[in-house]
Amino acid sequence: RKEVEQDPGPFNVPEGATVAFNCTYSNSASQSFFWYRQDCRKEPKLLMSVYSSGNEDGRFTAQLNRASQYISLLIRDSKLSDSATYLCVVNTYTGGFKTIFGAGTRLFVKA
Amino acid sequence: GAVVSQHPSWVICKSGTSVKIECRSLDFQATTMFWYRQFPKQSLMLMATSNEGSKATYEQGVEKDKFLINHASLTLSTLTVTSAHPEDSSFYICSAPTSGRYNEQFFGPGTRLTVL
């Protein structure tokens, strides 16, 4: 089982749609959680950190469920510019600091 | 957010030559940096963890004698691809975690290596 698992997609949605991405992680000792976006042929960029109480940044909402070891990202009112790969990222600190990346979920927003 | 630079952004070299890629944290210090490789349409693959003042830690299947890593200072790590071959052609990306509460990773812009 992978340490961080995501639905690879692709998700094809029309502009204005709401889309949700899910991610599960296997190490219960994981301590910090993030969503990154990666555009084609570019480096990943931090979209948002995921806090225990959940957090929102404009059209983006992230949730964390530690009991279920589950992270989500909700994008409302999708824009064409949201088309990218979204990476779920987890930091663990057992036996040293390590960052684990999910394989990413591809999103295509269509006009 | 924090800034990580990488140099060069792209390089083309002949088979058998060595290529050095630099990764710098510009506005923060990083005792640890990470090196990744990404092939087209595939996910990031962690190659190694670069540790300032000590040896790098390599992931399983990554040849340490082929991918030499040196973490020369708190703001600089280098990856040298030795005796490069066409199959080493890839997108190499470094990242550095901040020392804040959540240790967010910030990535360099990547180096696109093409070996002829």
Side-chain angles (χ1 to χ4, degrees):
Chain A
R1 183 187 170 190
K2 291 181 183 176
E3 291 186 76
V4 176
E5 294 208 59
Q6 292 181 249
D7 182 341
F11 284 53
N12 292 287
V13 303
E15 267 189 298
T18 295
V19 61
F21 301 138
N22 302 320
C23 171
T24 57
Y25 60 95
S26 61
N27 189 337
S28 58
S30 299
Q31 294 191 20
S32 46
F33 310 89
F34 313 91
W35 285 101
Y36 283 72
R37 72 170 274 167
Q38 186 176 22
D39 293 287
C40 190
R41 299 171 74 84
K42 299 277 190 180
E43 77 278 19
K45 293 193 174 168
L46 180 64
L47 180 64
M48 57 198 302
S49 303
V50 186
Y51 305 133
S52 296
S53 55
N55 47 303
E56 186 175 309
D57 182 2
R59 298 181 293 108
F60 300 86
T61 301
Q63 296 278 352
L64 168 64
N65 184 323
R66 285 189 184 270
S68 303
Q69 296 179 199
Y70 169 93
I71 307 156
S72 65
L73 176 68
L74 185 77
I75 304 176
R76 289 182 299 279
D77 188 23
S78 300
K79 311 290 184 192
L80 295 176
S81 57
D82 293 334
S83 298
T85 297
Y86 290 83
L87 303 168
C88 173
V89 179
V90 173
N91 281 351
T92 63
Y93 301 84
T94 49
F97 171 70
K98 197 168 182 182
T99 297
I100 312 293
F101 284 82
T105 300
R106 298 286 308 273
L107 172 66
F108 295 100
V109 181
K110 304 168 293 185
Chain B
V3 179
V4 176
S5 72
Q6 218 174 308
H7 178 80
S9 55
W10 59 269
V11 58
I12 301 173
C13 69
K14 291 182 180 179
S15 189
T17 59
S18 293
V19 175
K20 181 190 276 190
I21 303 169
E22 292 186 349
C23 177
R24 292 181 188 273
S25 56
L26 296 186
D27 51 359
F28 66 103
Q29 293 184 332
T31 55
T32 302
M33 291 183 177
F34 300 92
W35 287 98
Y36 302 84
R37 182 165 55 180
Q38 188 173 35
F39 293 105
K41 297 187 179 181
Q42 293 188 22
S43 52
L44 283 171
M45 258 184 41
L46 178 65
M47 298 176 67
T49 303
S50 173
N51 303 300
E52 192 268 338
S54 64
K55 290 182 181 179
T57 306
Y58 290 82
E59 295 299 300
Q60 195 172 9
V62 177
E63 299 174 57
K64 62 181 180 182
D65 295 328
K66 180 167 181 64
F67 298 99
L68 301 179
I69 290 172
N70 182 26
H71 201 129
S73 73
L74 287 172
T75 58
L76 173 64
S77 174
T78 60
L79 168 69
T80 301
V81 183
T82 62
S83 187
H85 290 283
E87 58 266 29
D88 298 324
S89 300
S90 188
F91 190 45
Y92 291 85
I93 313 175
C94 69
S95 73
T98 61
S99 56
R101 180 181 175 190
Y102 297 103
N103 297 129
E104 297 95 336
Q105 295 273 4
F106 287 89
F107 287 82
T111 297
R112 197 159 299 281
L113 170 64
T114 301
V115 185
L116 303 175

PDB file of all heavy atoms in Angstrom, chain A residues 49-72:
ATOM      1  N   SER A  49      -1.713  24.820   3.088  1.00  0.00           N
ATOM      2  CA  SER A  49      -1.499  23.853   4.160  1.00  0.00           C
ATOM      3  C   SER A  49      -2.875  23.413   4.644  1.00  0.00           C
ATOM      4  O   SER A  49      -3.866  24.130   4.449  1.00  0.00           O
ATOM      5  CB  SER A  49      -0.722  24.501   5.301  1.00  0.00           C
ATOM      6  OG  SER A  49       0.507  25.010   4.840  1.00  0.00           O
ATOM      7  N   VAL A  50      -2.938  22.252   5.250  1.00  0.00           N
ATOM      8  CA  VAL A  50      -4.207  21.736   5.748  1.00  0.00           C
ATOM      9  C   VAL A  50      -4.141  21.680   7.259  1.00  0.00           C
ATOM     10  O   VAL A  50      -3.304  20.958   7.823  1.00  0.00           O
ATOM     11  CB  VAL A  50      -4.500  20.319   5.190  1.00  0.00           C
ATOM     12  CG1 VAL A  50      -5.897  19.879   5.600  1.00  0.00           C
ATOM     13  CG2 VAL A  50      -4.343  20.284   3.684  1.00  0.00           C
ATOM     14  N   TYR A  51      -4.998  22.435   7.903  1.00  0.00           N
ATOM     15  CA  TYR A  51      -4.979  22.506   9.354  1.00  0.00           C
ATOM     16  C   TYR A  51      -6.037  21.585   9.943  1.00  0.00           C
ATOM     17  O   TYR A  51      -7.022  21.245   9.300  1.00  0.00           O
ATOM     18  CB  TYR A  51      -5.200  23.951   9.819  1.00  0.00           C
ATOM     19  CG  TYR A  51      -4.216  24.918   9.226  1.00  0.00           C
ATOM     20  CD1 TYR A  51      -4.638  26.127   8.680  1.00  0.00           C
ATOM     21  CD2 TYR A  51      -2.854  24.620   9.185  1.00  0.00           C
ATOM     22  CE1 TYR A  51      -3.738  27.019   8.118  1.00  0.00           C
ATOM     23  CE2 TYR A  51      -1.950  25.501   8.620  1.00  0.00           C
ATOM     24  CZ  TYR A  51      -2.396  26.690   8.094  1.00  0.00           C
ATOM     25  OH  TYR A  51      -1.505  27.577   7.542  1.00  0.00           O
ATOM     26  N   SER A  52      -5.837  21.210  11.198  1.00  0.00           N
ATOM     27  CA  SER A  52      -6.733  20.248  11.847  1.00  0.00           C
ATOM     28  C   SER A  52      -8.185  20.695  11.829  1.00  0.00           C
ATOM     29  O   SER A  52      -9.097  19.881  11.703  1.00  0.00           O
ATOM     30  CB  SER A  52      -6.290  20.004  13.287  1.00  0.00           C
ATOM     31  OG  SER A  52      -5.026  19.404  13.316  1.00  0.00           O
ATOM     32  N   SER A  53      -8.385  21.998  11.940  1.00  0.00           N
ATOM     33  CA  SER A  53      -9.748  22.523  12.001  1.00  0.00           C
ATOM     34  C   SER A  53     -10.328  22.765  10.614  1.00  0.00           C
ATOM     35  O   SER A  53     -11.453  23.236  10.481  1.00  0.00           O
ATOM     36  CB  SER A  53      -9.747  23.834  12.795  1.00  0.00           C
ATOM     37  OG  SER A  53      -8.810  24.726  12.225  1.00  0.00           O
ATOM     38  N   GLY A  54      -9.550  22.460   9.597  1.00  0.00           N
ATOM     39  CA  GLY A  54      -9.983  22.763   8.236  1.00  0.00           C
ATOM     40  C   GLY A  54      -9.697  24.223   7.920  1.00  0.00           C
ATOM     41  O   GLY A  54      -9.648  25.056   8.825  1.00  0.00           O
ATOM     42  N   ASN A  55      -9.503  24.531   6.681  1.00  0.00           N
ATOM     43  CA  ASN A  55      -9.227  25.916   6.331  1.00  0.00           C
ATOM     44  C   ASN A  55      -9.668  26.218   4.912  1.00  0.00           C
ATOM     45  O   ASN A  55      -9.791  25.326   4.074  1.00  0.00           O
ATOM     46  CB  ASN A  55      -7.747  26.282   6.552  1.00  0.00           C
ATOM     47  CG  ASN A  55      -6.776  25.270   5.994  1.00  0.00           C
ATOM     48  OD1 ASN A  55      -6.804  24.086   6.344  1.00  0.00           O
ATOM     49  ND2 ASN A  55      -5.908  25.726   5.109  1.00  0.00           N
ATOM     50  N   GLU A  56      -9.907  27.492   4.687  1.00  0.00           N
ATOM     51  CA  GLU A  56     -10.457  27.941   3.417  1.00  0.00           C
ATOM     52  C   GLU A  56      -9.615  29.093   2.897  1.00  0.00           C
ATOM     53  O   GLU A  56      -9.159  29.939   3.661  1.00  0.00           O
ATOM     54  CB  GLU A  56     -11.906  28.388   3.650  1.00  0.00           C
ATOM     55  CG  GLU A  56     -12.671  28.752   2.408  1.00  0.00           C
ATOM     56  CD  GLU A  56     -14.135  29.055   2.720  1.00  0.00           C
ATOM     57  OE1 GLU A  56     -14.783  28.234   3.388  1.00  0.00           O
ATOM     58  OE2 GLU A  56     -14.598  30.135   2.316  1.00  0.00           O
ATOM     59  N   ASP A  57      -9.415  29.095   1.590  1.00  0.00           N
ATOM     60  CA  ASP A  57      -8.689  30.201   0.960  1.00  0.00           C
ATOM     61  C   ASP A  57      -9.401  30.509  -0.341  1.00  0.00           C
ATOM     62  O   ASP A  57      -9.203  29.825  -1.351  1.00  0.00           O
ATOM     63  CB  ASP A  57      -7.236  29.800   0.711  1.00  0.00           C
ATOM     64  CG  ASP A  57      -6.426  30.944   0.107  1.00  0.00           C
ATOM     65  OD1 ASP A  57      -6.964  32.042  -0.086  1.00  0.00           O
ATOM     66  OD2 ASP A  57      -5.233  30.724  -0.181  1.00  0.00           O
ATOM     67  N   GLY A  58     -10.283  31.473  -0.298  1.00  0.00           N
ATOM     68  CA  GLY A  58     -11.048  31.817  -1.491  1.00  0.00           C
ATOM     69  C   GLY A  58     -11.941  30.661  -1.908  1.00  0.00           C
ATOM     70  O   GLY A  58     -12.768  30.168  -1.136  1.00  0.00           O
ATOM     71  N   ARG A  59     -11.735  30.166  -3.131  1.00  0.00           N
ATOM     72  CA  ARG A  59     -12.568  29.084  -3.653  1.00  0.00           C
ATOM     73  C   ARG A  59     -12.097  27.704  -3.187  1.00  0.00           C
ATOM     74  O   ARG A  59     -12.716  26.693  -3.543  1.00  0.00           O
ATOM     75  CB  ARG A  59     -12.535  29.129  -5.185  1.00  0.00           C
ATOM     76  CG  ARG A  59     -13.109  30.410  -5.772  1.00  0.00           C
ATOM     77  CD  ARG A  59     -13.075  30.404  -7.306  1.00  0.00           C
ATOM     78  NE  ARG A  59     -11.725  30.436  -7.854  1.00  0.00           N
ATOM     79  CZ  ARG A  59     -11.138  29.396  -8.441  1.00  0.00           C
ATOM     80  NH1 ARG A  59     -11.761  28.235  -8.560  1.00  0.00           N
ATOM     81  NH2 ARG A  59      -9.908  29.517  -8.928  1.00  0.00           N
ATOM     82  N   PHE A  60     -11.030  27.646  -2.452  1.00  0.00           N
ATOM     83  CA  PHE A  60     -10.427  26.378  -2.044  1.00  0.00           C
ATOM     84  C   PHE A  60     -10.659  26.110  -0.562  1.00  0.00           C
ATOM     85  O   PHE A  60     -10.423  26.978   0.269  1.00  0.00           O
ATOM     86  CB  PHE A  60      -8.914  26.411  -2.318  1.00  0.00           C
ATOM     87  CG  PHE A  60      -8.566  26.618  -3.769  1.00  0.00           C
ATOM     88  CD1 PHE A  60      -8.484  27.900  -4.299  1.00  0.00           C
ATOM     89  CD2 PHE A  60      -8.343  25.543  -4.598  1.00  0.00           C
ATOM     90  CE1 PHE A  60      -8.189  28.088  -5.636  1.00  0.00           C
ATOM     91  CE2 PHE A  60      -8.037  25.733  -5.947  1.00  0.00           C
ATOM     92  CZ  PHE A  60      -7.961  27.008  -6.453  1.00  0.00           C
ATOM     93  N   THR A  61     -11.101  24.888  -0.275  1.00  0.00           N
ATOM     94  CA  THR A  61     -11.319  24.472   1.115  1.00  0.00           C
ATOM     95  C   THR A  61     -10.622  23.149   1.341  1.00  0.00           C
ATOM     96  O   THR A  61     -10.802  22.205   0.564  1.00  0.00           O
ATOM     97  CB  THR A  61     -12.816  24.309   1.425  1.00  0.00           C
ATOM     98  OG1 THR A  61     -13.482  25.550   1.198  1.00  0.00           O
ATOM     99  CG2 THR A  61     -13.024  23.889   2.880  1.00  0.00           C
ATOM    100  N   ALA A  62      -9.820  23.081   2.401  1.00  0.00           N
ATOM    101  CA  ALA A  62      -9.122  21.843   2.728  1.00  0.00           C
ATOM    102  C   ALA A  62      -9.622  21.321   4.062  1.00  0.00           C
ATOM    103  O   ALA A  62      -9.921  22.090   4.975  1.00  0.00           O
ATOM    104  CB  ALA A  62      -7.617  22.102   2.804  1.00  0.00           C
ATOM    105  N   GLN A  63      -9.734  20.003   4.138  1.00  0.00           N
ATOM    106  CA  GLN A  63     -10.188  19.378   5.372  1.00  0.00           C
ATOM    107  C   GLN A  63      -9.228  18.250   5.741  1.00  0.00           C
ATOM    108  O   GLN A  63      -8.653  17.597   4.859  1.00  0.00           O
ATOM    109  CB  GLN A  63     -11.582  18.758   5.186  1.00  0.00           C
ATOM    110  CG  GLN A  63     -12.695  19.744   4.879  1.00  0.00           C
ATOM    111  CD  GLN A  63     -13.230  20.413   6.112  1.00  0.00           C
ATOM    112  OE1 GLN A  63     -12.874  20.043   7.229  1.00  0.00           O
ATOM    113  NE2 GLN A  63     -14.064  21.414   5.928  1.00  0.00           N
ATOM    114  N   LEU A  64      -9.098  18.020   7.043  1.00  0.00           N
ATOM    115  CA  LEU A  64      -8.260  16.933   7.539  1.00  0.00           C
ATOM    116  C   LEU A  64      -9.069  16.107   8.525  1.00  0.00           C
ATOM    117  O   LEU A  64      -9.696  16.669   9.431  1.00  0.00           O
ATOM    118  CB  LEU A  64      -7.021  17.520   8.239  1.00  0.00           C
ATOM    119  CG  LEU A  64      -6.168  16.566   9.080  1.00  0.00           C
ATOM    120  CD1 LEU A  64      -5.541  15.488   8.213  1.00  0.00           C
ATOM    121  CD2 LEU A  64      -5.089  17.332   9.841  1.00  0.00           C
ATOM    122  N   ASN A  65      -9.035  14.814   8.365  1.00  0.00           N
ATOM    123  CA  ASN A  65      -9.675  13.900   9.316  1.00  0.00           C
ATOM    124  C   ASN A  65      -8.591  12.945   9.801  1.00  0.00           C
ATOM    125  O   ASN A  65      -8.244  11.975   9.122  1.00  0.00           O
ATOM    126  CB  ASN A  65     -10.816  13.138   8.629  1.00  0.00           C
ATOM    127  CG  ASN A  65     -11.566  12.245   9.604  1.00  0.00           C
ATOM    128  OD1 ASN A  65     -10.980  11.638  10.501  1.00  0.00           O
ATOM    129  ND2 ASN A  65     -12.872  12.161   9.420  1.00  0.00           N
ATOM    130  N   ARG A  66      -8.059  13.236  10.976  1.00  0.00           N
ATOM    131  CA  ARG A  66      -6.943  12.425  11.479  1.00  0.00           C
ATOM    132  C   ARG A  66      -7.391  11.011  11.832  1.00  0.00           C
ATOM    133  O   ARG A  66      -6.648  10.059  11.660  1.00  0.00           O
ATOM    134  CB  ARG A  66      -6.327  13.083  12.713  1.00  0.00           C
ATOM    135  CG  ARG A  66      -5.465  14.286  12.403  1.00  0.00           C
ATOM    136  CD  ARG A  66      -4.727  14.739  13.647  1.00  0.00           C
ATOM    137  NE  ARG A  66      -3.952  15.951  13.441  1.00  0.00           N
ATOM    138  CZ  ARG A  66      -2.687  15.954  13.030  1.00  0.00           C
ATOM    139  NH1 ARG A  66      -2.059  14.816  12.788  1.00  0.00           N
ATOM    140  NH2 ARG A  66      -2.044  17.101  12.872  1.00  0.00           N
ATOM    141  N   ALA A  67      -8.600  10.883  12.333  1.00  0.00           N
ATOM    142  CA  ALA A  67      -9.084   9.545  12.727  1.00  0.00           C
ATOM    143  C   ALA A  67      -9.144   8.621  11.514  1.00  0.00           C
ATOM    144  O   ALA A  67      -8.774   7.443  11.597  1.00  0.00           O
ATOM    145  CB  ALA A  67     -10.458   9.660  13.380  1.00  0.00           C
ATOM    146  N   SER A  68      -9.581   9.150  10.393  1.00  0.00           N
ATOM    147  CA  SER A  68      -9.683   8.348   9.172  1.00  0.00           C
ATOM    148  C   SER A  68      -8.440   8.464   8.302  1.00  0.00           C
ATOM    149  O   SER A  68      -8.363   7.810   7.248  1.00  0.00           O
ATOM    150  CB  SER A  68     -10.906   8.792   8.352  1.00  0.00           C
ATOM    151  OG  SER A  68     -12.076   8.687   9.122  1.00  0.00           O
ATOM    152  N   GLN A  69      -7.510   9.326   8.698  1.00  0.00           N
ATOM    153  CA  GLN A  69      -6.276   9.546   7.939  1.00  0.00           C
ATOM    154  C   GLN A  69      -6.610   9.926   6.502  1.00  0.00           C
ATOM    155  O   GLN A  69      -6.178   9.284   5.533  1.00  0.00           O
ATOM    156  CB  GLN A  69      -5.355   8.305   8.025  1.00  0.00           C
ATOM    157  CG  GLN A  69      -4.906   8.074   9.452  1.00  0.00           C
ATOM    158  CD  GLN A  69      -4.003   6.851   9.629  1.00  0.00           C
ATOM    159  OE1 GLN A  69      -3.852   6.357  10.729  1.00  0.00           O
ATOM    160  NE2 GLN A  69      -3.408   6.377   8.574  1.00  0.00           N
ATOM    161  N   TYR A  70      -7.347  11.003   6.415  1.00  0.00           N
ATOM    162  CA  TYR A  70      -7.966  11.416   5.160  1.00  0.00           C
ATOM    163  C   TYR A  70      -7.880  12.929   5.035  1.00  0.00           C
ATOM    164  O   TYR A  70      -8.084  13.669   5.989  1.00  0.00           O
ATOM    165  CB  TYR A  70      -9.414  10.940   5.235  1.00  0.00           C
ATOM    166  CG  TYR A  70     -10.368  11.433   4.199  1.00  0.00           C
ATOM    167  CD1 TYR A  70     -10.594  10.701   3.039  1.00  0.00           C
ATOM    168  CD2 TYR A  70     -11.095  12.598   4.402  1.00  0.00           C
ATOM    169  CE1 TYR A  70     -11.506  11.137   2.098  1.00  0.00           C
ATOM    170  CE2 TYR A  70     -12.001  13.039   3.460  1.00  0.00           C
ATOM    171  CZ  TYR A  70     -12.205  12.300   2.320  1.00  0.00           C
ATOM    172  OH  TYR A  70     -13.105  12.733   1.388  1.00  0.00           O
ATOM    173  N   ILE A  71      -7.532  13.372   3.822  1.00  0.00           N
ATOM    174  CA  ILE A  71      -7.421  14.806   3.537  1.00  0.00           C
ATOM    175  C   ILE A  71      -8.252  15.073   2.291  1.00  0.00           C
ATOM    176  O   ILE A  71      -8.301  14.237   1.385  1.00  0.00           O
ATOM    177  CB  ILE A  71      -5.962  15.186   3.241  1.00  0.00           C
ATOM    178  CG1 ILE A  71      -5.036  14.719   4.360  1.00  0.00           C
ATOM    179  CG2 ILE A  71      -5.801  16.680   3.041  1.00  0.00           C
ATOM    180  CD1 ILE A  71      -3.616  14.533   3.870  1.00  0.00           C
ATOM    181  N   SER A  72      -8.877  16.236   2.251  1.00  0.00           N
ATOM    182  CA  SER A  72      -9.649  16.564   1.057  1.00  0.00           C
ATOM    183  C   SER A  72      -9.368  17.990   0.614  1.00  0.00           C
ATOM    184  O   SER A  72      -8.914  18.831   1.390  1.00  0.00           O
ATOM    185  CB  SER A  72     -11.145  16.380   1.320  1.00  0.00           C
ATOM    186  OG  SER A  72     -11.575  17.325   2.293  1.00  0.00           O
TER     187      SER A  72
END
